[in-house]
């Protein structure tokens, strides 16, 4: 069973930065895609980024516009989401997740518990 532990959320002012961390277990994040999603109450969950199992391939949502970077950590089983120039519209619960097969193009069905990010002055 896949497991995820997210951390790093919090309150930040507009224009600020946060780095989210996710420790994964039950699968190899080097051989299986790992994604970041976010959700605002009353809205559908949207994909922020997906780190592909293929080296060098990371996919981002259109709203990211170069502000976020998803990476694998040097420590095995860790992934990060560096978020810069945060805006109030980025306020959401952010989730670490994995698809039911190893590719970013497959449906995601494994989820962490989420970490709250609030962007407000």
């Amino acid at each position: 069973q896949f497991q995820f532990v997210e951390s790093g959320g919090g309150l930040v002012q507009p224009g600020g930065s946060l780095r989210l961390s996710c420790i994964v277990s039950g699968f190899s994040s080097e051989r299986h895609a790992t994604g970041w999603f976010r959700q605002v109450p009353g809205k559908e969950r949207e994909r922020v980024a997906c780190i592909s199992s293929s080296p060098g391939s990371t996919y981002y949502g259109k709203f990211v516009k170069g502000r976020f970077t998803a990476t694998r950590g040097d420590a095995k089983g860790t992934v990060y989401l560096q978020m810069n120039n945060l805006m109030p519209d980025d306020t959401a619960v952010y989730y670490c997740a994995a698809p039911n097969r190893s590719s970013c193009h497959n449906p995601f069905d494994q989820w962490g518990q989420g970490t709250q990010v609030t962007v407000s002055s």
Side-chain angles (χ1 to χ4, degrees), residues 72-86:
R72 292 189 178 91
D74 291 334
K76 200 172 183 179
T78 58
V79 293
Y80 299 104
L81 182 66
Q82 176 68 42
M83 303 188 293
N84 299 325
N85 193 22
L86 284 160

Side-chain angles (χ1 to χ4, degrees), residues 57-80:
S57 296
T58 302
Y59 305 98
Y60 294 96
K62 290 181 180 179
F63 59 88
V64 169
K65 297 180 180 177
R67 300 179 298 131
F68 299 174
T69 304
T71 57
R72 292 189 178 91
D74 291 334
K76 200 172 183 179
T78 58
V79 293
Y80 299 104

Side-chain angles (χ1 to χ4, degrees), residues 39-108:
Q39 189 169 25
V40 175
K43 293 189 177 181
E44 288 191 3
R45 194 172 293 185
E46 61 181 347
R47 193 169 85 175
V48 178
C50 183
I51 306 171
S52 172
S53 54
S54 300
S57 296
T58 302
Y59 305 98
Y60 294 96
K62 290 181 180 179
F63 59 88
V64 169
K65 297 180 180 177
R67 300 179 298 131
F68 299 174
T69 304
T71 57
R72 292 189 178 91
D74 291 334
K76 200 172 183 179
T78 58
V79 293
Y80 299 104
L81 182 66
Q82 176 68 42
M83 303 188 293
N84 299 325
N85 193 22
L86 284 160
M87 300 181 290
D89 284 350
D90 295 316
T91 296
V93 178
Y94 284 71
Y95 298 89
C96 192
N100 57 11
R101 294 186 181 180
S102 61
S103 167
C104 286
H105 303 298
N106 291 114
F108 282 72

